[in-house]
C-alpha cells in the first residue's frame, strides 16, 4: 500500500460520501425544489397584483401564494437539515475510521508521530469535511444544474451572445484555476499549524507540573502562541484567496453584462437581433450570478476540504497492526508459557544504533526470572519485543514454543500480563483501570486481587471506593499506588506470562515485601519475568539474566552470579543496595 501513489483527494472524498449518496441526493433535490418554489413566487405575485388591479377575487391566488410560501419554507428547512445531517455523517465516518486506525497504529509509528498532531487530524481536519460535503458537492450539483439550465435558455434566445457570455465565464474559470491551489496550500499550512498547536498543548499539559516547577511557562507560551499565530496567518491567506475567488463571480457577470451590451448593441444596430431579445438576454446574464457563485464557492470549499483530506489520509497510511479481534482471556489454570530469545538483533529505527546485538536466553514455563543490568542495557526492550510492539531485525522470539510472529496478535497479548516501567494509569475510575484488560472479571476475583496487591486499604479510604476517579494519568494516586493498580490490572488477566518492568520500584518496604510474596505465589503457576532493581526481588528469583549493552552476559542464580560475574557482583554490592533492597 505504501508503494502506490496516494489516491487523489476527490476519490477519497467520494469514498467517505458514498455511503450517504442517497441522502445527499435527497438534500440536493430538496434545495433545488426550494430554489424552484422561490422562482415561482414572483410569478404568482404578478398574478395576484394583476387580479387586484382588475378588481377580481384574489382568494385563489392568495391561497396559492400562501401554500407556496409555506412549501418553500418547509422544503428549505428540510433540505438544509438533510444536507447538514449528511455532512455530519460524513464527518462521523471519517472520525470513526481514523480513531479505529489510530488504535491499531504500530508503536514504531507512534514513536515517530506527535500525538497532538494525530489528535488534530481526528478532531479538526475531519471537521473540514462537513463544509466540503454540504457546500462543495451540493453546490457543484445544484449550481451546475442551474447554470446549465440558464445557459440553455440563453442559447435559445441568442447563440452569438451566449458565445460572448461563455467566453467571459471561461475567463473567470481560468482565474479560479489559478487561485484554487493557493487556497489548498494555505489551508494545508493552517491545518499543519493546528497540528503543531495540538502537539505543543500535549507537551505542556502532559508535564504541567514540570513546566511550572521549571518556570518554563513563558517559553512554552511562546511555542503555543507561535502555532496559533501561524494558523491565523495561513487562514488569513486562505481567506484572502477565497474572497478573491468569491468576487470573481460578480466581476465576471459585470464584464459579461458590459460585453453583451456592446456586442448586443452592435447586433441591434445591424438588425440581427431586436431590443427585446437583448433585454431578455441581459436579464439571463444576471440570473447567472447566484449559480456561478455557488459553483465557485464549491471549488474553493473543495480546496479546503481536499487539504484536510490529505492530512487525514496521511494518518491512515502510517504502519498499523491488523484489525483487532476480541479474544477470550486464558481460562483459569491455563498452561504457563515458556519464553525464549534466539540471537535477536534489534534497533528502534534504521538510523538508530542496535539496542540488541544478538540476545539469547531461555526461560522455562513457571517460576520467576529476573532481568538485571545497567540502565539502557535493553531490558525494557526485551518486554516490548515479547509483546510484539516491535519486530526484531533478525533472530527468533518464541512464547510457548511458538515464534511470536506466528501468533495471532490479540491472542499473544491475551496470554500476557504486562506492567510497564512507569505503570500508566488512565483517567477514569479505579475500577475502569483495574478491569481495563479483563472487563469480565467477577467481583470476587476483583476483591481477591485488590487484597493481594494491598489496594484494599486504599479502596477503603477513597470516598467512592472503586468508583473513585483517579484523575488524568492517575495523578490522584501516589507512585506506589499506581504501581499496585498496574500490577492488579495485569493479574486480573490471569496471564500465562507475567511481565513486570520495575513494577515495585516505588513501593515502600512493607508493601514491597507483600507484593514480593504475591508475585512469588503467582510464579508457582505462571511464568514471571521481572526487571528488578532490588536485591530482595533478585534473590528470590529462580534465575537471573544479566544484561549489558544489548547482550546477555550471564544467566544463573544469585549465589552463582555473585561468584561468577563481576558486573553482577558489582550491581549486587552497589546498585541493588542503593535502591533500598
Ligand atoms: P533498559 O530498560 O535496560 O534501561 P531499554 O530497553 O529501555 O533499556 O533501552 C535500551 C536502549 O534503547 C536505550 O539506549 C534507549 O535509549 C533506547 N530506546 C528505548 N526505547 C526507544 C525508542 N522507543 N526509540 C528509540 N530508542 C529507544
Ligand atoms: Mg527499562
Amino acid at each position: 500500500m505504501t508503494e502506490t501513489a496516494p489516491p487523489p483527494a476527490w476519490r477519497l472524498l467520494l469514498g467517505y460520501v458514498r455511503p450517504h449518496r442517497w441522502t445527499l441526493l435527497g438534500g440536493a433535490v430538496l434545495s433545488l425544489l426550494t430554489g424552484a418554489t422561490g422562482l415561482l413566487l414572483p410569478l404568482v405575485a404578478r398574478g395576484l397584483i394583476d387580479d387586484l388591479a382588475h378588481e377580481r377575487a384574489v382568494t385563489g391566488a392568495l391561497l396559492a401564494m400562501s401554500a407556496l410560501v409555506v412549501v418553500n419554507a418547509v422544503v428549505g428547512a428540510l433540505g438544509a437539515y438533510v444536507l447538514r445531517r449528511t455532512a455530519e455523517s460524513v464527518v462521523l465516518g471519517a472520525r470513526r475510521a481514523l480513531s479505529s486506525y489510530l488504535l491499531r497504529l504500530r508503536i514504531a509509528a507512534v514513536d515517530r508521530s506527535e500525538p497532538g498532531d494525530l489528535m488534530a487530524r481526528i478532531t479538526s481536519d475531519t471537521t473540514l469535511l462537513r463544509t466540503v460535503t454540504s457546500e462543495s458537492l451540493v453546490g457543484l450539483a445544484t449550481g451546475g444544474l442551474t447554470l446549465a439550465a440558464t445557459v440553455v435558455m440563453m442559447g435559445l434566445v441568442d447563440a452569438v451572445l451566449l458565445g460572448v457570455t461563455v467566453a467571459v465565464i471561461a475567463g473567470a474559470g481560468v482565474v479560479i484555476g489559478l487561485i484554487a491551489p493557493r487556497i489548498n496550500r494555505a489551508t494545508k499550512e493552517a491545518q499543519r499549524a493546528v497540528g503543531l498547536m495540538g502537539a505543543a498543548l500535549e507537551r505542556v499539559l502532559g508535564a504541567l507540573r514540570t513546566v511550572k516547577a521549571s518556570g518554563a511557562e513563558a517559553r512554552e507560551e511562546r511555542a503555543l502562541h507561535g502555532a496559533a499565530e501561524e494558523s491565523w496567518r495561513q487562514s488569513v491567506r486562505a481567506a484572502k484567496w477565497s474572497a478573491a475567488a468569491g468576487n470573481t463571480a460578480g466581476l465576471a457577470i459585470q464584464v459579461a453584462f458590459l460585453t453583451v451590451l456592446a456586442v448586443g448593441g452592435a447586433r441591434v444596430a445591424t438588425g440581427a437581433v431586436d431590443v427585446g431579445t437583448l433585454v431578455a438576454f441581459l436579464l439571463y446574464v444576471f440570473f447567472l450570478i447566484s449559480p456561478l457563485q455557488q459553483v465557485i464557492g464549491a471549488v474553493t470549499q473543495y480546496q479546503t476540504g481536499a487539504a484536510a483530506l490529505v492530512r487525514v489520509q496521511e494518518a491512515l497510511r502510517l504502519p498499523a497492526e491488523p484489525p483487532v479481534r476480541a479474544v477470550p482471556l486464558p481460562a483459569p489454570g491455563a498452561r504457563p508459557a515458556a519464553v525464549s530469545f534466539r540471537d535477536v538483533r534489534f534497533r528502534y529505527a534504521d538510523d538508530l544504533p542496535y539496542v540488541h546485538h544478538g540476545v539469547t536466553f531461555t526461560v522455562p514455563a513457571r517460576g520467576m526470572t529476573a532481568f538485571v543490568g545497567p540502565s539502557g542495557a535493553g531490558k525494557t526492550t526485551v518486554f516490548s519485543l515479547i509483546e510484539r510492539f516491535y519486530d526484531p531485525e533478525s533472530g527468533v522470539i518464541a512464547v510457548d514454543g511458538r515464534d511470536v510472529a506466528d501468533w495471532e496478535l490479540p491472542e499473544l497479548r491475551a496470554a500476557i500480563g504486562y506492567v510497564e516501567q512507569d505503570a500508566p494509569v488512565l483517567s477514569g475510575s479505579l475500577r475502569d483501570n483495574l478491569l481495563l484488560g479483563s472487563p469480565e472479571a467477577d467481583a470476587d476475583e476483583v476483591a481477591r486481587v485488590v487484597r493481594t496487591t494491598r489496594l484494599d486499604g486504599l479502596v477503603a479510604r477513597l470516598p467512592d471506593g472503586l468508583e473513585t476517579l483517579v484523575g488524568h494519568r492517575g495523578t490522584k494516586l501516589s507512585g506506589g499506588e499506581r504501581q499496585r493498580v498496574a500490577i492488579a490490572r495485569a493479574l486480573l488477566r490471569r496471564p500465562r506470562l507475567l511481565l513486570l518492568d520495575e513494577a515495585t520500584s516505588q513501593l515502600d518496604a512493607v508493601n514491597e515485601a507483600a507484593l514480593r510474596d504475591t508475585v512469588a505465589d503467582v510464579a508457582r503457576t505462571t511464568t514471571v519475568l521481572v526487571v528488578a532493581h532490588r536485591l530482595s526481588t533478585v534473590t528470590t528469583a529462580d534465575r537471573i539474566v544479566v544484561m549489558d549493552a544489548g547482550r546477555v552476559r550471564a544467566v544463573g542464580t544469585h549465589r552463582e552470579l555473585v561468584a561468577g560475574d563481576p558486573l553482577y557482583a558489582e550491581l549486587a554490592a552497589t546498585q541493588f543496595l542503593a535502591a533500598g533492597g
Side-chain angles (χ1 to χ4, degrees), residues 111 348 352 355 373-382 390 421 501-502:
D111 284 348
Y348 280 95
L352 291 177
V355 171
S375 147
K379 306 181 296 292
T380 297
T381 305
V382 166
Y390 305 90
Q421 189 161 348
D501 194 350
E502 300 187 21

Side-chain angles (χ1 to χ4, degrees), residues 16 61 80 82 125 128 157 167 182 213 229 233 273 320 327 356 381 385 412 428 431 438 478-479 481 518 552 574:
Y16 283 111
V82 169
D125 285 286
L128 295 184
V157 176
R182 294 166 202 272
E229 284 155 14
R233 224 180 343 267
V273 294
V327 294
H356 283 176
T381 305
L385 291 173
L412 173 70
R431 184 190 299 280
S438 54
S478 76
E481 287 163 351
T518 300
V552 173
T574 57

Side-chain angles (χ1 to χ4, degrees), residues 266-529:
R267 278 168 68 74
V268 170
T270 62
V273 294
D274 56 35
V275 178
T277 306
L278 181 58
V279 169
F281 197 91
L282 286 172
L283 280 178
Y284 276 126
V285 170
F286 281 103
F287 271 5
L288 283 178
I289 290 192
S290 149
L292 197 60
Q293 261 165 353
Q294 237 181 339
V295 169
I296 290 177
V299 171
T300 54
Q301 284 294 347
Y302 171 75
Q303 294 306 326
T304 312
L309 259 179
V310 166
R311 280 174 49 81
V312 166
Q313 196 61 18
E314 276 168 7
L316 290 174
R317 294 168 72 83
L318 292 171
E321 293 169 351
V324 239
R325 190 171 61 82
V327 294
L329 291 175
R335 191 162 39 88
V339 181
S340 66
F341 270 50
R342 202 175 66 227
D343 205 17
V344 169
R345 285 172 66 78
F346 171 72
R347 50 183 166 174
Y348 280 95
D350 293 344
D351 52 354
L352 291 177
Y354 281 93
V355 171
H356 283 176
H357 309 260
V359 170
T360 302
F361 63 82
T362 303
V363 171
R366 222 172 261 114
M368 194 204 300
T369 303
F371 285 76
V372 302
S375 147
K379 306 181 296 292
T380 297
T381 305
V382 166
F383 287 5
S384 300
L385 291 173
I386 293 174
E387 281 274 5
R388 255 195 102 192
F389 294 146
Y390 305 90
D391 289 323
E393 199 167 283
S394 62
V396 177
I397 298 160
V399 168
D400 197 27
R402 187 146 50 109
D403 189 336
V404 288
D406 296 336
W407 280 76
E408 232 201 295
L409 212 43
E411 292 197 326
L412 173 70
R413 292 185 183 151
I416 305 174
Y418 178 33
V419 179
E420 270 187 82
Q421 189 161 348
D422 35 11
V425 168
L426 287 67
S427 55
S429 69
L430 201 51
R431 184 190 299 280
D432 289 342
N433 267 286
L434 292 176
L435 296 189
L436 186 70
S438 54
E440 325 260 83
D442 61 43
D444 287 347
E445 214 170 339
V446 174
R448 186 179 56 78
V449 169
V450 162
R451 227 174 16 255
T452 56
T453 51
R454 304 202 113 211
L455 281 168
D456 42 356
L458 172 72
V459 172
R461 216 163 45 245
L462 289 173
D464 299 319
L466 282 176
E467 310 309 328
T468 309
L469 301 178
V470 293
H472 176 59
R473 296 185 189 179
T475 40
K476 295 184 187 162
L477 301 176
S478 76
E481 287 163 351
R482 279 203 292 277
Q483 287 192 324
R484 278 177 284 150
V485 169
I487 295 172
R489 180 197 292 146
L491 288 180
L492 278 168
R493 282 161 73 78
R494 291 192 234 104
R496 299 175 57 196
L497 169 62
L498 181 62
L499 308 177
L500 303 174
D501 194 350
E502 300 187 21
T504 57
S505 60
Q506 300 194 36
L507 300 190
D508 57 74
V510 177
N511 274 322
E512 200 269 332
L515 263 291
R516 196 180 336 125
D517 289 345
T518 300
V519 171
D521 207 38
V522 171
R524 272 196 274 279
T525 52
T526 293
T527 316
V528 181
L529 270 48

Side-chain angles (χ1 to χ4, degrees), residues 237-263:
R237 235 179 80 200
K240 182 178 74 187
W241 290 116
S242 294
N247 281 306
T248 306
L251 184 66
I253 297 304
Q254 302 295 346
V255 172
F257 175 77
L258 292 177
T259 322
V260 167
L261 200 59
V263 176

